[in-house]
Amino acid sequence: MLIDTPTNRPGTPETKTAPRRRHDDAPDTAELFARMAELEDGPERDAVRDELVTLWLPMAHRIAGRFRDRGESLEDLRQVAALGLVKAIDRFDPSRGAFESYAVPTITGEVKRHFRDRMWALRVPRRVQELRNKVRVARRELTQNPGSPEPSVADIAAHTGLTEEEVSAGLEALDSFSTLSLDAELSADDDGYSLADTLGAADSSYDVVVDRESAKEGLRRLPERERAILYMRFFEDMTQSRIADRLGISQMHVSRLISRSCARVRDEVMGQRPGNRGSGGHTTA
C-alpha cells in the first residue's frame, strides 16, 4: 500500500500529520484520460477506454465487496460495479481533478441504486424507500453506544424530524426487503402451523348469496307455472320426466321452459332485457 508522508520545511517544528492513504488499486492513469479526451470516437479511443476499464476494475470489485452478504451474489455486485465504472470513465473530465474522487461515489451510487430498484422482494414506492433509509440510519445512530435501548417511534421521529406516521411506514418497509415463505413454520409446537395456515381464503358462499339476491326479482316476474317448474326441478330435485307427468306436458316442453326461464332471469340480472321474452308462461301444452 502506498503512503504519502509530508515533508517539513527546515527550521519549522515537526508536526504529526495523519498520512494520506491510497489504495493499491488506484493506478496513475492521468495520461490515459488526457489522451482519451483528445481522441475522436473510433477504434483508438475505444482501446484507451478498454485499458482504463481494465486498470480500474480492481477498485470497482473492492467497492462491490463492501455490499456482500446482503442478499445478492458477489459476482452480480461486481457486474453492477463494473457498469458504474464504465459510466464514470465516460463522464469523467480530466481537468476537474483525480479520477478516484469521481469514480468512487459514482460506482457506489450505482451499486446502491441496484439494491434500491432491483432487490426488493416486495415493491414499495420510492418515497417509502427513502423513509426506510432514514429510519435505518437513525436507528443505527441512536443505538451506536453500548447498552443503548431500542429507540421508540417517537425517538426516531424526534431524531429525524419525520412524523410518527412516516417513521412507522419506514419501519414496516424495513421488513419488505425480503419476504417470508408461506411454508415458514410460525410455531415450534408439535401442532405447529405455517404462515399459509393463517391466511384466509375466498368463501364461495358469498357468491351464492349475491347470485340469489340478484335473481330474486327476475324469479318473481316469471309466470306461476314456470316458477313452479323451476322449484320442482332445482329445489325438490325432480326429474324432467316427473315434472312432465305432474303437469301433463311433454318432457321436451319442460326442458324448453326451464331453459327459457333461466335465460330470462339471467338476462335481467345482467341488465339485458329483451322485449320479446317472457311470453313463455302463456304457452299452452
Side-chain angles (χ1 to χ4, degrees), residues 146 189 217 279:
D189 301 334
E217 290 302 319
S279 60

Short mmCIF file of all heavy atoms in Angstrom, two decimals, residues 146 189 217 279:
data_model
loop_
_atom_site.label_atom_id
_atom_site.label_comp_id
_atom_site.label_asym_id
_atom_site.label_seq_id
_atom_site.Cartn_x
_atom_site.Cartn_y
_atom_site.Cartn_z
N PRO A 146 -22.85 1.32 23.36
CA PRO A 146 -23.19 0.04 24.02
C PRO A 146 -24.23 0.24 25.11
O PRO A 146 -24.16 1.19 25.90
CB PRO A 146 -21.85 -0.43 24.59
CG PRO A 146 -20.81 0.27 23.77
CD PRO A 146 -21.40 1.59 23.40
N ASP A 189 -44.33 -25.78 18.32
CA ASP A 189 -45.05 -26.85 19.00
C ASP A 189 -45.26 -28.03 18.06
O ASP A 189 -45.03 -27.95 16.85
CB ASP A 189 -46.41 -26.35 19.50
CG ASP A 189 -46.25 -25.17 20.46
OD1 ASP A 189 -45.16 -25.09 21.09
OD2 ASP A 189 -47.18 -24.36 20.56
N GLU A 217 -85.76 -10.90 -8.01
CA GLU A 217 -86.75 -10.12 -8.73
C GLU A 217 -87.13 -10.77 -10.05
O GLU A 217 -88.30 -10.78 -10.45
CB GLU A 217 -86.22 -8.70 -8.96
CG GLU A 217 -86.14 -7.86 -7.69
CD GLU A 217 -87.49 -7.73 -7.01
OE1 GLU A 217 -88.51 -7.55 -7.73
OE2 GLU A 217 -87.52 -7.83 -5.78
N SER A 279 -92.98 -14.36 -22.72
CA SER A 279 -94.27 -14.87 -23.14
C SER A 279 -94.38 -16.36 -22.99
O SER A 279 -95.43 -16.95 -23.25
CB SER A 279 -94.54 -14.48 -24.60
OG SER A 279 -93.51 -15.05 -25.43
#
